[in-house]
Amino acid sequence: MRQIPRLLRTIGFRLAALYAAIFGLSVLLLFGVVYFLASSTLRGELVRIVENEIATVTEDMARNGLPAVAAEIERRMASGMHPTTYYLLLAADDTVLAGNMPKSARHAGWHELPPPRAQFDDDEDAEEWAEHALLAFGRSLPGGAYLVVGEDGFRMVETEEVIIRTFLLALAGMLVLAVGGGLLLSASFLRRVEAISRAAQDIVQNNLQGRIPTRGTDDELDRLSLGLNDMLDRLEALMESLRQVSNDIAHDLRTPLSRLRQRLETTRLKSRSATDYETAIDQAIIEVDTILATFAALLRIAQIEAGRRKANFQLVDLSAVFGAIADAYAAVAEDAGQSLQADLAPGISLRGDRELLTQMLANVVENAIRHCPPGTRIVLTLRAKAGGGFIGCVTDNGPGIPPEERGHVFQRFVRLERSRTTPGNGLGLALTAAVADLHGITIRLDDAAPGLLVEFSKADG
């Protein structure tokens, strides 16, 4: 079975064909209405002419008698003023008294009669002769006479044929334009789909930098291409993040695992007492707990990014969350020789997960306490935005973060301390970013001059 060309199988061509079919049906419906109205009007005009002639002749009959009527009919035919009107007047004995129609059987009322053959050339075909059929009306007159008046219907037939030809030409032109437009539309649509398909094939071949071209027309395909490009940007970022996480996991876990193996091996070779073994086991447990904590943090981040916690969202008093963090970490900051203060507006709420929001804010405050020297002043603020929503800040006057590093600190395993001698796995701020993204909160890092400003903001809704 021969396959339909691809151009004719496109959605664009199918839509164009559908619209052409709908428009064609509309044209046919319009044709039917126009044809009916035109035909009815013309037929009504013929009926009016015949009825007027019948009434005039009947009145003459009543006033002047049958001979005068015959004379009047002959005069009308001879005048040439009624070239399309035909007459037949029969006496009581069916003798033809006047007229230019062939003698026919008496028939009262409306009927159609063939035109006089003598009016046409012998070589004229029957179809054209039939187009001049007469719309006739027969009436019996007093004394047994019979009158027939007919009107040539050629004008009506000709007008109907003109209407038919006009609509057929219009319908043919419309179909040609519709099919041609459908083919052009399909070709354009197919080119753009091919571009999207080629870009998709490039992506399948691991070319994540490839993007789908757009025309800037903001049509459906442009919006689809922009949506796909956004998806590819996200996919590329996720793949890059996956590569980075894989490398960082290998780097960060290699050290504790190597240290664990070395201690266990040393214990096996050199330890001689139960105390040595207990010490080695305790140290191994510490190393394993560190590794498990890293994996637990990674799993928690993955669960948050998957959005599973959204099902438990409820209205959370954000002012109370900020207040609880300020109360909990004030003593920790004081032990580190720092101060922690809070300036919080009451009554600010947010739909979310209270536990995760608490963890998000706690990670930022812990970072400030851990990485700032004694004497640092840390301030928590929370304010409602004028148009709805809120702005919360954690500000310190410590060493801050260099501007070129601020874009990386929310990535997994990123630590500004390259030696990695202090406790931590570089996942705290990554967890903070995941929680903020889950709640639609925007995080911004800025210079507090001196120190660092961490801003949490969300518009109303």
Side-chain angles (χ1 to χ4, degrees):
M1 184 176 180
R2 187 176 180 182
Q3 190 176 16
I4 300 174
R6 187 180 181 189
L7 188 64
L8 304 183
R9 290 185 282 116
T10 60
I11 295 176
F13 184 81
R14 291 180 182 178
L15 288 176
L18 176 62
Y19 292 148
I22 294 174
F23 192 73
L25 291 175
S26 302
V27 169
L28 290 176
L29 179 62
L30 178 62
F31 161 73
V33 173
V34 172
Y35 184 86
F36 173 77
L37 292 176
S39 181
S40 299
T41 301
L42 291 172
R43 187 177 183 87
E45 181 66 18
L46 295 181
V47 168
R48 186 186 63 79
I49 293 173
V50 172
E51 288 177 342
N52 287 341
E53 290 295 318
I54 289 286
T56 301
V57 173
T58 304
E59 290 174 2
D60 284 347
M61 175 72 180
R63 287 195 304 267
N64 304 317
L66 190 59
V69 170
E72 177 62 21
I73 289 175
E74 293 295 336
R75 186 192 66 78
R76 283 174 174 269
M77 290 188 301
S79 68
M81 298 177 62
H82 307 278
T84 60
T85 305
Y86 293 82
Y87 305 88
L88 175 64
L89 180 63
L90 299 178
D93 58 356
D94 286 342
T95 302
V96 177
L97 300 177
N100 53 0
M101 295 174 60
K103 184 179 178 180
S104 62
R106 298 190 179 206
H107 187 285
W110 291 101
H111 55 284
E112 286 191 0
L113 294 174
R117 189 69 185 181
Q119 300 289 332
F120 299 89
D121 297 333
D122 292 339
D123 58 350
E124 289 194 85
D125 58 24
E127 182 179 352
E128 185 176 354
W129 177 67
E131 290 178 350
H132 289 265
L134 304 180
L135 179 62
F137 186 86
R139 170 175 289 182
S140 297
L141 300 177
Y146 177 69
L147 173 67
V148 180
V149 177
E151 187 69 22
D152 192 341
F154 179 71
R155 285 184 301 166
M156 182 177 68
V157 174
E158 187 178 39
T159 302
E160 290 173 347
E161 289 179 351
V162 169
I163 294 174
I164 292 174
R165 285 196 300 269
T166 302
F167 272 95
L168 287 177
L169 289 173
L171 182 61
M174 183 275 299
L175 290 176
V176 169
L177 291 175
V179 172
L183 291 174
L184 291 176
L185 180 64
S186 299
S188 175
F189 183 83
L190 197 56
R191 284 195 297 270
R192 299 186 68 181
V193 171
E194 286 290 349
I196 296 175
S197 179
R198 286 194 299 271
Q201 289 299 321
D202 288 343
I203 295 163
V204 171
Q205 301 299 323
N206 288 329
N207 179 21
L208 293 180
Q209 287 75 36
R211 293 296 180 269
I212 300 170
T214 59
R215 293 184 176 181
T217 55
D218 196 34
D219 58 11
E220 291 80 359
L221 286 178
D222 253 15
R223 290 196 290 271
L224 174 63
S225 299
L226 290 173
L228 291 175
N229 286 339
D230 290 341
M231 180 188 70
L232 292 175
D233 291 339
R234 177 67 172 166
L235 180 61
E236 184 181 11
L238 289 175
M239 293 301 294
E240 182 60 32
S241 175
L242 179 61
R243 282 193 290 268
Q244 179 233 335
V245 168
S246 300
N247 292 334
D248 289 340
I249 287 177
H251 183 273
D252 278 55
L253 296 185
R254 182 175 59 185
T255 300
L257 288 173
S258 299
R259 192 164 52 237
L260 175 61
R261 185 186 185 284
Q262 182 180 6
R263 286 176 178 173
L264 291 175
E265 186 177 7
T266 301
T267 301
R268 184 175 67 84
L269 295 175
K270 297 182 178 180
S271 297
R272 295 293 182 267
S273 65
T275 302
D276 293 338
Y277 284 109
E278 289 176 358
T279 302
I281 290 173
D282 290 339
Q283 292 174 343
I285 291 174
I286 293 174
E287 296 290 351
V288 170
D289 285 343
T290 301
I291 296 171
L292 290 176
T294 299
F295 279 111
L298 287 171
L299 181 60
R300 188 173 176 82
I301 291 173
Q303 290 174 340
I304 293 171
E305 289 180 341
R308 297 176 184 174
R309 300 290 289 267
K310 277 193 173 183
N312 300 321
F313 274 16
Q314 55 186 351
L315 198 62
V316 176
D317 186 346
L318 199 60
S319 300
V321 171
F322 270 70
I325 292 296
D327 293 340
Y329 284 92
V332 178
E334 185 176 352
D335 291 342
Q338 304 162 346
S339 65
L340 176 61
Q341 302 172 359
D343 181 12
L344 311 175
I348 298 178
S349 59
L350 168 71
R351 285 198 63 82
D353 187 306
R354 184 184 184 91
E355 179 188 351
L356 293 180
L357 291 170
T358 302
Q359 182 71 61
M360 175 189 75
L361 186 60
N363 286 349
V364 176
V365 174
E366 284 180 3
N367 259 25
I369 294 174
R370 181 180 302 160
H371 298 292
C372 290
T376 299
R377 181 172 176 264
I378 304 170
V379 180
L380 270 66
T381 60
L382 180 64
R383 293 286 180 269
K385 296 175 71 173
F390 67 89
I391 296 179
C393 298
V394 179
T395 310
D396 64 67
N397 59 352
I401 297 177
E404 64 274 8
E405 297 287 351
R406 292 172 189 166
H408 307 295
V409 294
F410 291 109
Q411 297 176 0
R412 295 176 178 86
F413 297 108
V414 172
R415 299 176 64 182
L416 297 183
E417 184 204 11
R418 305 302 181 188
S419 63
R420 297 179 180 260
T421 56
T422 58
N425 51 25
L427 294 174
L429 290 182
L431 179 62
T432 295
V435 174
D437 186 63
L438 180 69
H439 290 80
I441 298 173
T442 301
I443 304 180
R444 184 177 66 89
L445 302 182
D446 203 355
D447 193 351
L452 180 68
L453 167 69
V454 182
E455 179 187 276
F456 303 92
S457 65
K458 180 178 173 64
D460 190 19

